[in-house]
Amino acid sequence: MTKPTASFWIHKLLLQPHAEGGYFRETSHSPELIVTEDRRERYLYSNILFLLTADNPSHFHRLKSDEVWYFHEGNALTIHLLHPDGCYEAVKMGRQTEKGELFQFTVPKGVIFGSSIEGQSGDYALVSCMVSPGFDYRDFELLPYDALLKDYPDCGPILEKLAYKTLPGTSFRSGPT
């Protein structure tokens, strides 16, 4: 039996390109709505499938909600976190727990993060992500290289890899309708 490829999962799971990089599809959200501090209705939680490849990482972005990652398949990945106090942290996710890799990890709200896979073209990681309160593009912020370099001057190499020099032009939609 051959190992599934990134293309197999993208087509099998009906994943679409994401503005931050990688491929995704929302799989569910809570039937319940909550009202946030800024008086907007949001799902209590939302879930996506998310696939990254070695040549299509998740670029640095920030959410106003916690995001829980669950590792499923493929190569180990690294979640790169830029904390508000200026500290950098790298968290490994994968199947090799003896090497410190985690099956799940929570990215705290307000922390800037991106994710990458070390490897060759074609290598991938398939994860699920749950956001609570539910994901809403109005709470999603892509951050450009120049802005990040000002606040994180010691993180140049990882910014070079995971920060857009020019933000992609996209239109976003999500959340309760």
Side-chain angles (χ1 to χ4, degrees):
M1 182 174 179
T2 60
K3 178 182 172 186
T5 64
S7 290
F8 169 83
W9 289 118
I10 291 166
H11 295 290
K12 175 82 173 166
L13 301 173
L14 306 173
L15 305 179
Q16 299 295 316
H18 196 295
E20 78 189 51
Y23 303 88
F24 83 108
R25 179 172 59 90
E26 183 178 16
T27 56
S28 66
H29 57 264
S30 68
E32 299 88 15
L33 294 174
I34 61 169
V35 177
T36 60
E37 292 175 359
D38 57 359
R39 302 192 193 295
R40 288 189 289 143
E41 283 191 334
R42 299 272 298 281
Y43 296 119
L44 183 59
Y45 65 84
S46 60
N47 294 305
I48 65 166
L49 289 167
F50 191 43
L51 185 138
L52 300 171
T53 65
D55 51 359
N56 193 351
S58 167
H59 292 80
F60 281 118
H61 61 289
R62 177 174 33 212
L63 300 177
K64 291 182 180 178
S65 298
D66 290 346
E67 182 170 53
V68 184
W69 286 54
Y70 304 93
F71 184 85
H72 297 299
E73 180 74 36
N75 301 74
L77 67 87
T78 303
I79 301 175
H80 304 273
L81 300 115
L82 302 173
H83 292 276
D85 66 1
C87 291
Y88 166 79
E89 179 183 10
V91 175
K92 291 273 192 189
M93 294 192 72
R95 296 181 184 272
Q96 297 182 18
T97 57
E98 70 279 5
K99 291 185 177 181
E101 295 174 0
L102 304 173
F103 288 117
Q104 83 179 43
F105 177 75
T106 301
V107 177
K109 67 181 179 181
V111 172
I112 297 165
F113 68 105
S115 302
S116 65
I117 298 165
E118 301 304 321
Q120 303 173 29
S121 183
D123 288 345
Y124 70 91
L126 176 62
V127 300
S128 291
C129 300
M130 189 276 303
V131 176
S132 179
F135 182 82
D136 187 316
Y137 276 108
R138 293 173 291 187
D139 296 337
F140 171 82
E141 180 184 14
L142 277 172
L143 297 139
Y145 175 85
D146 291 341
L148 289 170
L149 191 59
K150 289 177 188 173
D151 292 333
Y152 300 92
D154 296 333
C155 296
I158 195 61
L159 296 180
E160 284 288 332
K161 184 175 181 177
L162 295 180
Y164 284 120
K165 298 289 193 285
T166 304
L167 295 180
T170 56
S171 62
F172 302 129
R173 61 181 176 81
S174 77
T177 54

